Amino acid sequence: FIGFHLLPNEQKSVDAIEPISGRVIKKNIMTMVLYEGLKLQRVPFNINFDDLPRGEKIERICNVLGIQWPLDPDETYELTTDNILKMLAIHMRFRCGIPVIIMGETGCGKTRLIKFLCELRRSGVATENMKLVKVHGGTTSEMIYTKVREAEAIASVNQQDYGFDSVLFFDEANTTEAISSIKEVLCDNTVKGESLTPNCGLR
């Protein structure tokens, strides 16, 4: 997704490099003849993702996410290579049905990252596809289970009517004593021992 960063060497072949530091990742990855041939066919090498126009960045991530009509949901959100790679990693885990845990200091942008990803997937459709649960010391298991069932209902409608998934986001999940209930939802896919609705599109 980020592209191929290559550098010709003295042995008349090409090395793969790390784009920021220029460090060689793998020597002699292809011959100079192949490299020159691919360049003639306009295969894009050594493109700095951070230098691309915003519209092109949105278009590229939408291609990966399978979004037909790219729409920028928040022009104030900075689309750095790092943020895009995090979104892609989250998307891949969603596709594989693996729960996502995002760790970081308070205020580092975890919630905003997920919010941007959800709004991007929504493509301007007037519906809610992210259920945010602000967890705190007083959050009980019953409150968590109620939010999960609410999120399931929203996800089912979004899946049937619009064909996209919905996200249930537990913010500050580690602050409650009912963390075992969050574990049950994330890892066991159950609520009080009962299975979550299958294929409802809830991530």
Side-chain angles (χ1 to χ4, degrees):
F1 178 82
I2 296 302
F4 297 99
H5 295 268
L6 305 173
L7 188 70
N9 60 30
E10 299 82 40
Q11 286 90 40
K12 294 195 175 174
S13 68
V14 180
D15 297 335
I17 61 165
E18 201 280 315
I20 296 165
S21 67
R23 179 179 60 84
V24 174
I25 300 169
K26 188 167 173 84
K27 286 188 159 296
N28 306 322
I29 199 150
M30 70 173 71
T31 64
M32 187 61 84
V33 174
L34 176 59
Y35 177 67
E36 293 296 342
L38 290 171
K39 274 175 57 181
L40 284 171
Q41 293 176 45
R42 296 198 174 110
V43 174
F45 294 123
N46 304 332
I47 291 172
N48 185 344
F49 186 83
D50 286 327
D51 292 341
L52 292 175
R54 185 175 179 87
E56 199 172 328
K57 289 179 183 179
I58 294 279
E59 207 170 294
R60 283 188 180 208
I61 191 165
C62 285
N63 282 340
V64 176
L65 298 176
I67 298 166
Q68 279 186 305
W69 313 108
L71 193 71
D72 191 345
D74 181 1
E75 291 176 6
T76 64
Y77 188 75
E78 194 59 45
L79 287 173
T80 62
T81 303
D82 185 53
N83 284 343
I84 293 286
L85 288 175
K86 285 175 185 167
M87 283 185 223
L88 292 176
I90 291 165
H91 172 69
M92 291 310 291
R93 291 179 79 88
F94 282 168
R95 282 186 60 183
C96 298
I98 302 170
V100 179
I101 297 175
I102 305 171
M103 292 168 51
E105 296 295 320
T106 303
C108 73
K110 301 180 294 292
T111 307
R112 192 142 184 236
L113 178 84
I114 292 290
K115 192 171 181 230
F116 185 87
L117 180 60
C118 288
E119 288 176 355
L120 197 62
R121 293 170 79 120
R122 210 175 65 213
S123 294
V125 175
T127 185
E128 179 190 16
N129 68 335
M130 176 182 166
K131 184 78 173 169
L132 177 64
V133 182
K134 290 200 173 280
V135 179
H136 50 80
T139 304
T140 63
S141 292
E142 207 51 53
M143 290 162 81
I144 289 164
Y145 294 144
T146 302
K147 295 291 185 186
V148 171
R149 290 305 186 196
E150 285 172 12
E152 274 188 309
I154 291 166
S156 293
V157 170
N158 287 339
Q159 186 77 342
Q160 288 169 1
D161 295 354
Y162 309 112
F164 53 71
D165 294 337
S166 303
V167 173
L168 174 61
F169 185 72
F170 294 104
D171 197 13
E172 307 290 346
N174 60 322
T175 59
T176 178
E177 288 182 7
I179 196 154
S180 60
S181 303
I182 295 173
K183 174 262 172 197
E184 183 191 353
V185 173
L186 283 178
C187 302
D188 305 335
N189 288 322
T190 59
V191 166
K192 295 183 189 172
E194 291 180 22
S195 292
L196 295 174
T197 309
N199 305 317
C200 72
L202 183 64
R203 306 291 179 205

